[in-house]
């Protein structure tokens, strides 16, 4: 679990140019009662939400709440962030470390599971706490990414010239400040065999003001080919602020892809997935992965069966051009890639 002070501490060490997103990050909503008031929700369910916070606190940026429909419990954005008492129930097959990432982490902050690419845990923090996320149990505090000395990870990458791509991940790497990201990416670009710099971030969706041309020049102004994989689960997440942020990246030459987690009650219907693909494309983003849920404790109520997932992909395939169909995958520990689920 990330201490509340982490996001604020990172905010304090920021460039002055990014005051507005730093402010949004420091002012996320953490009090369920405030959320209930803003959305005019029935307070009788407040104790249940507070119980859900015991395991993983509420955290949601105000800009994301602005896109929710007031008084609607079934709002697909609310469902992604609302803590529930039932998250504390135990379910067979659901665990705290479903991907066994803790044992796959010999160098602090670096995960090398797949050929040709490594993943760096750049920031343990996120702007938002998504209830279905495996991060809810990952002990990032012990990994202490914001304080990390990167030399060991960079030496590892330098010594293995099969590594062509470095992925900045987290948490959310864009919760880190730009000076740190500039320093790190400059050192990555200095390794001759690395060609591609990829960022995995939900920030363009949840705090779109994070993305400005100057604040992203460590990504767009490097010899490395820039790729960003954003994370959006529902078309309602993509408002005009998000589209503006994405168009800024697109103009600067960043290849934009999206990953979605298939979530019961949120996007396990054809309408949501069809509209999401179309909306992403209009914003300059291609669908990349549709992930089956990681079986993390607290998220069992989001599970969608493989059979239903395949049905949904078939419907998408019958209605959309091939380039708007995400690949349906499941992450499985020990495998050499995400595992495709074919029908
Ligand atoms: C998902 C993931 C990647 C990226 O995989 P792609 O299929 O290239 O998107 C890389 N490393 C780790 C550890 C991952 O979990
Ligand atoms: S933004 Fe990504 S890493 Fe952060 S809580 Fe959500 S799903 Fe997890």
């Amino acid at each position: 679990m990330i201490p509340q002070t982490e996001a604020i501490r990172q905010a304090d060490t920021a460039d002055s140019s990014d005051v507005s997103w730093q402010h949004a990050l420091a002012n996320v909503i953490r009090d369920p009662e405030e959320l209930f008031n803003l959305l005019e929700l029935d307070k009788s369910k407040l104790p249940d939400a507070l119980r859900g916070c015991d395991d993983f606190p509420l955290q949601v940026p105000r800009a994301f709440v602005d896109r929710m429909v007031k008084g609607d419990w079934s709002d697909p954005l609310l469902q992604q962030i609302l803590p529930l008492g039932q998250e504390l129930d135990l379910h067979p097959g659901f665990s705290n470390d479903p991907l066994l990432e803790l044992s796959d982490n010999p160098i602090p902050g670096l995960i090398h599971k797949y050929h040709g690419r490594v993943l760096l845990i750049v920031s343990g923090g996120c702007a938002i706490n998504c209830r279905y996320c495996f991060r809810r149990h990952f002990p990032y505090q012990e990994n202490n990414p914001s304080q990390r000395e990167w030399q060991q990870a960079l030496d590892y990458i330098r010594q293995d010239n099969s590594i062509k791509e470095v992925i900045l991940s987290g948490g959310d790497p864009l919760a880190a400040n730009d000076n740190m990201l500039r320093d790190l990416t400059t050192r990555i670009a200095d390794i001759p065999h690395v060609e591609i710099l990829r960022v995995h971030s939900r920030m363009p969706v949840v705090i779109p003001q994070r993305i400005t041309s100057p604040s992203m020049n460590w990504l767009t102004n490097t010899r490395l080919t820039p790729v960003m994989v954003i994370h959006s689960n529902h078309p309602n997440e993509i408002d005009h602020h998000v589209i503006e942020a994405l168009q800024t990246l697109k103009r600067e030459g960043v290849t934009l892809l999206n990953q979605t987690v298939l979530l019961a009650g949120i996007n396990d219907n054809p309408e949501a997935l069809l509209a999401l693909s179309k909306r992403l494309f209009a914003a300059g983003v291609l669908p990349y992965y549709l992930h089956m849920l990681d079986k993390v404790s607290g998220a069992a109520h989001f599970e969608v069966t493989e059979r239903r997932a395949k049905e949904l992909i078939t419907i998408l395939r019958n209605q959309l051009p091939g380039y708007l169909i995400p690949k349906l995958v499941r992450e499985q520990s020990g495998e050499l890639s995400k595992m495709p689920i074919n029908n």
Side-chain angles (χ1 to χ4, degrees), residues 10 14-15 17-18 20-22 24-25 127 172-182 199 201-218 228 241 245 248-249:
Q10 290 183 2
D15 307 349
S17 63
D18 37 40
S20 110
W21 75 262
Q22 300 285 3
L25 183 57
D172 198 312
L174 296 186
N177 76 67
D178 294 327
N179 288 336
M180 184 274 215
L181 290 164
R182 189 170 295 113
V199 176
S201 175
R202 190 147 160 70
M203 204 61 103
V205 174
V206 298
I207 302 188
Q209 64 263 51
R210 174 68 180 87
I211 308 296
T212 65
S213 211
S215 76
M216 295 305 292
N217 72 0
W218 52 269
M228 188 175 298
H241 296 293
T248 299
L249 292 165

Side-chain angles (χ1 to χ4, degrees), residues 73-82 84 131 265-266 302:
W73 284 108
S74 65
D75 184 280
L77 277 58
L78 176 65
Q79 290 293 313
Q80 295 180 53
I81 57 94
L82 181 69
L84 299 172
R131 308 312 296 176
I266 293 169
F302 289 122

Side-chain angles (χ1 to χ4, degrees), residues 126 128-130 132-133 135 171 202 231:
C126 280
I128 188 166
N129 281 350
C130 309
Y132 52 85
C133 181
R135 191 178 72 93
R202 190 147 160 70
H231 170 181

Side-chain angles (χ1 to χ4, degrees), residues 233-249:
N233 299 319
H234 193 278
N236 292 5
E237 293 173 28
I238 305 173
D239 69 0
H240 70 278
H241 296 293
V242 175
I243 293 175
E244 231 167 81
L246 295 168
Q247 283 173 346
T248 299
L249 292 165

Side-chain angles (χ1 to χ4, degrees), residues 3 14 22 26 32 55 92 107 112 170 187 225-226 241 243 255 282 290 298 311 324 339:
Q22 300 285 3
D55 193 38
I107 294 184
H112 189 188
R187 291 159 78 191
T225 302
H241 296 293
I243 293 175
T255 294
L290 179 61
E311 277 171 15
L324 293 188
M339 297 310 290

Side-chain angles (χ1 to χ4, degrees), residues 3 27 45 58 82 100 104 125 172 183 203 222 242 280 295:
N27 282 282
K45 293 195 187 171
L58 169 74
L82 181 69
L100 305 176
D104 217 335
D172 198 312
D183 173 63
M203 204 61 103
T222 147
V242 175
L280 286 166
K295 295 201 173 212

Side-chain angles (χ1 to χ4, degrees), residues 99 101 104 110-115 117-121 134 165 167 169 198 200 229 257 259 288-289 291 327 329 331 336-338:
L99 307 179
E101 295 221 310
D104 217 335
L110 181 144
I111 303 176
H112 189 188
K113 285 206 299 205
Y114 302 158
H115 179 80
R117 49 227 199 271
V118 295
L119 194 144
L120 297 183
I121 309 281
F134 69 95
E165 178 171 13
I167 303 168
S169 183
R198 187 197 316 185
H200 278 183
V229 182
L257 304 168
Q259 47 189 344
Y288 182 35
Y289 283 138
H291 292 271
K327 297 177 193 47
V329 292
E331 186 150 354
L336 295 176
S337 70
K338 313 275 184 254

